Amino acid sequence: MGGEEEAETQTSICKDAPNLLSSFVDTFVDFSVSGLFLLPTPPLQNPNPSISRSLPPLPTRLPSPSRLIAVGDLHGDLDKTKQALRLAGLIDASDRYVGGSATVVQVGDVLDRGGDELKILYFLEKLKREAARSGGKIITMNGNHEIMNVEGDFRFVTKTALDEFRVWEQWFSVGNKMKGLCQGLETPTDPFKGVPMSFHGVRREFFDGFRARAAALRPNGPISSRFLSQNVTVLVVGDSVFVHGGLLPQHVDYGLERINEEVRDWINGSSGKFSPQYCRGRNAVVWLRKFSNEVAQNCDCATLEHVLKTVPGAKRMIMGHTIQTAGINGACENRAIRIDVGMSRGCGGGLPEVLEISKNSGLRILTSNPLYQNMGNAGLNVGKEELLIPAHGGLREVEVKA
Amino acid sequence: MGLAQSAEAAAHVTQTQTQTSTQTSTSNNSNSTSLDSVLAEAAAYGNNDDTEESIEAKAQRALECPCIADLRTGPCGFQFSEAFLCFLKSTAEEKGSDCVSPFVALQSCIKANPNAFSKDVLGEDESEKSEPTQEYKILPPQWSREPQSPKSRL
């Protein structure tokens, strides 16, 4: 190479160096926190320069895919998360996405009650990117525990979780320092700006952990803006409505797209500390239990019917949030499907089950519960048979009268 | 320096800058684009049978850029350089996934030298922390609370 070309090359490489350094630091920090290496971010669809963050709108309504899997509350248990995904044939033994063009909906409550919160967030992000390459889609939703944590309500945090966030902060801060040493990069914002040094009534030994969690998860925090802002709060896929707690008529009136956009904007820091009003209180979209009573006949089926009528094409509502000790089941003639099985260790360690809706086989419960091997009607719900899928995989039909 | 750039080199630089300015608005940048342009340059300028060496050479050049200078000094400068070089040369789809060993070495060095990458300017980090903080209140879990001290009666 001639001298002139060499100089040109050096210049053009050094113009690139800040971005290369930034990518390296992000990769190193991600690896240090999660043990994972991620595929590159998929390119943004429809970037709109007039919106400050150029974010594509969150998907609120999607057509029926040929295979749809719904996964309930995970609450910080990575092992159970993987078991549930493996049950549905979505990941292989090496944790790679093998679900093809399936659509997967996780209905919220990744956070709290367990110590693998960041690991799960990163793992789902890894799978999202892998799925996108096979035409699949993984959609994560906000549960009440996501909303609470962004608001600083840490009442259900575990000690291990605090440690995970403390470790996150150490690497994240090192990463910021490294970026700060490169003149071509803007000095990263201090994620602790405005976070208190101490917390009244809390033992001193936990200050660091809470500071880290507060910095990470508050509106526009590094973890909330990176992961939680991608969550939808309400979702319609084909003829199924997904929501963590439940939808009331006033929520549909308010506007499903509007709810998703407002919650995302709040998570990204545009509307202060508290979530929108429909995310708080007993009738919130993420707190409602009207259609989730384990005693099916105590559910407010009339209201459910009313809501479903107002969402075009909707035949059922699929919800997490209320632990079903009997496993996934339906109420209100299976117009309410309750998929929170309390699988996390922190929720009693219920056996993993997921719901499958497919064009070929309709609604099926994929379960690892050995009690149901080769049994007929388990008698839990009228018209519903639960079959078991042994841990190593197996097939089983569940007929759910829609 | 100060040499006239060929139109082609200028086009590469412009293209890279446009791509990178789009990338900076996302929280986790796409890794492949900038290095793709470097590799494209390698194909254009370097020997085609020697692409391996060109990648190595170009990665070494990146290490000599002003941005990287301060990162190479200090107790973890060597581990940083090894890890960064490996990353730059990584052609894995998950870029850097073939760099576990140098990444772990860098981690170990940082754990042993927590201030390895701190700026030299004294007190710069401290001043941020002593800013009057807004009252960002949290609700802590029960297990983390101080035990209530019994009130003494006189």
Side-chain angles (χ1 to χ4, degrees), chain B residues 84-153:
Chain B
F84 185 51
L85 267 178
C86 182
F87 176 78
L88 291 177
K89 294 187 293 183
S90 168
T91 51
E93 279 190 292
E94 294 90 352
K95 192 164 168 65
S97 56
D98 42 359
C99 299
V100 174
S101 181
F103 272 33
V104 169
L106 178 56
Q107 286 178 338
S108 303
C109 186
I110 291 170
K111 286 182 202 171
N113 303 273
N115 289 318
F117 297 105
S118 298
K119 275 192 153 82
D120 286 336
V121 181
L122 286 173
E124 186 174 303
D125 288 351
E126 296 314 310
S127 62
E128 289 276 23
K129 284 185 180 171
S130 62
E131 247 183 56
T133 56
Q134 318 154 258
E135 259 321 290
Y136 181 83
K137 288 196 160 69
I138 66 161
L139 287 174
Q142 216 38 52
W143 55 262
S144 71
R145 287 181 181 274
E146 288 279 17
Q148 302 276 359
S149 46
K151 297 201 156 107
S152 58
R153 289 193 184 181

Side-chain angles (χ1 to χ4, degrees), chain A residues 27-160:
Chain A
T27 303
F28 176 71
V29 171
D30 283 349
F31 171 68
S32 301
V33 172
S34 71
L36 298 175
F37 290 94
L38 301 175
L39 290 167
T41 351
L44 293 175
Q45 252 100 65
N46 305 320
N48 185 345
S50 66
I51 300 173
S52 60
R53 281 175 167 262
S54 297
L55 287 173
L58 289 168
T60 301
R61 285 168 222 260
L62 293 169
S64 250
S66 57
R67 188 177 188 234
L68 174 60
I69 302 286
V71 182
D73 305 33
L74 300 175
H75 282 302
D77 192 331
L78 181 66
D79 282 340
K80 283 297 180 54
T81 299
K82 291 184 181 181
Q83 281 180 44
L85 295 170
R86 245 171 235 134
L87 198 53
L90 294 168
I91 60 172
D92 65 13
S94 314
D95 293 345
R96 277 216 161 284
Y97 178 79
V98 292
S101 60
T103 296
V104 186
V105 179
Q106 195 286 313
V107 296
D109 276 10
V110 165
L111 300 179
D112 286 338
R113 298 207 168 98
D116 297 333
E117 298 164 311
L118 289 170
K119 287 183 197 64
I120 295 175
L121 291 175
Y122 268 97
F123 187 65
L124 293 177
E125 180 62 30
K126 169 188 115 83
L127 294 182
K128 282 183 189 193
R129 297 181 188 193
E130 289 174 5
R133 291 194 311 170
S134 0
K137 218 184 287 253
I138 296 182
I139 301 170
T140 47
M141 301 187 70
N142 288 315
N144 57 314
H145 285 265
E146 277 72 41
I147 304 298
M148 291 198 297
N149 274 280
V150 176
E151 285 181 339
D153 183 349
F154 296 157
R155 283 175 295 154
F156 301 94
V157 174
T158 66
K159 190 161 180 304
T160 331

Side-chain angles (χ1 to χ4, degrees), chain A residues 14 16 41 133 180 182 273, chain B residues 16 20 28 65 67 93 119 137:
Chain A
C14 288
D16 261 351
T41 351
R133 291 194 311 170
C182 165
K273 177 172 185 162
Chain B
T16 312
T20 55
N28 196 17
C65 294
C67 157
E93 279 190 292
K119 275 192 153 82
K137 288 196 160 69

